[in-house]
């Protein structure tokens, strides 16, 4: 899998989508959670949060000590996709499956088109460009 660095994102181009995610300086094959922007070829861009069960468990344990989420008694996040193993390879495989099965739109929210709505000008500065390197 070829991963290119396109400021400020890593970029992975596949036949049916382009995935972009921030560089946190971590070993990509050890990632247990990652937020990724997925632009489907000829379609919209989605926001995906990918996590392993171990990552969710670690959050719940941390919250048990900090008191967040009723002391770690629950966990939720929008756009969550759980992967069976860590690493960017497993995460991209999950996205490929979602795209292939036509389920990405059911699992994740579309990022609104920056040309729609009153905040269009400010949104352009926060959303990764479709042709960013």
């Amino acid at each position: 899998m070829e991963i290119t660095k396109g400021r400020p994102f890593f970029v992975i181009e596949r036949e049916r989508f382009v995935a972009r995610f921030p560089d946190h300086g971590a070993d990509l094959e050890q990632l247990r959670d990652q937020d990724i922007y997925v632009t489907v070829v000829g379609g919209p861009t989605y926001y995906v949060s990918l996590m392993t069960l171990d990552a969710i468990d670690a959050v719940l344990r941390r919250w048990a000590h900090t008191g967040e989420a009723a002391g770690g008694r629950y966990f939720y996040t929008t756009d969550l996709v759980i992967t069976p193993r860590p690493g960017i390879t497993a995460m991209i495989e999950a996205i490929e499956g979602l795209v292939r099965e036509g389920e990405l739109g059911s699992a994740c929210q579309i990022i609104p088109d920056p040309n729609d709505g009153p905040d269009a000008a400010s949104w352009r500065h926060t959303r990764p460009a479709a042709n960013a390197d």
Side-chain angles (χ1 to χ4, degrees):
M1 170 172 40
E2 183 178 339
I3 302 173
T4 58
K5 179 75 172 169
R7 278 182 97 151
F9 297 95
F10 282 120
V11 179
I12 298 172
E13 295 188 39
R14 300 308 247 195
E15 183 178 331
R16 298 178 67 184
F17 66 89
V18 175
R20 292 175 183 76
F21 56 98
D23 178 3
H24 297 294
D27 177 352
L28 296 179
E29 289 307 328
Q30 298 303 313
L31 289 174
R32 297 183 314 150
D33 65 276
Q34 182 65 55
D35 296 327
I36 297 179
Y37 297 99
V38 177
T39 303
V40 177
V41 173
T45 297
Y46 295 87
Y47 177 81
V48 185
S49 288
L50 295 121
M51 296 181 81
T52 64
L53 290 174
D54 287 341
I56 294 169
D57 183 59
V59 170
L60 289 169
R61 288 175 188 264
R62 185 175 63 244
W63 288 349
H65 293 285
T66 65
E68 296 171 74
R73 288 180 175 83
Y74 64 87
F75 176 90
Y76 75 90
T77 185
T78 59
D79 311 308
L80 177 63
V81 173
I82 298 172
T83 61
R85 63 185 199 283
I88 197 65
T89 299
M91 293 175 179
I92 294 300
E93 288 171 352
I95 293 169
E96 285 175 329
L98 286 164
V99 171
R100 182 178 53 252
E101 301 296 326
E103 294 179 340
L104 186 61
S106 297
C108 306
Q109 294 181 50
I110 292 175
I111 296 175
D113 186 320
N115 298 315
D116 294 340
D119 296 328
S122 64
W123 183 251
R124 270 191 285 279
H125 300 292
T126 60
R127 179 176 178 233
N131 61 359
D133 293 323

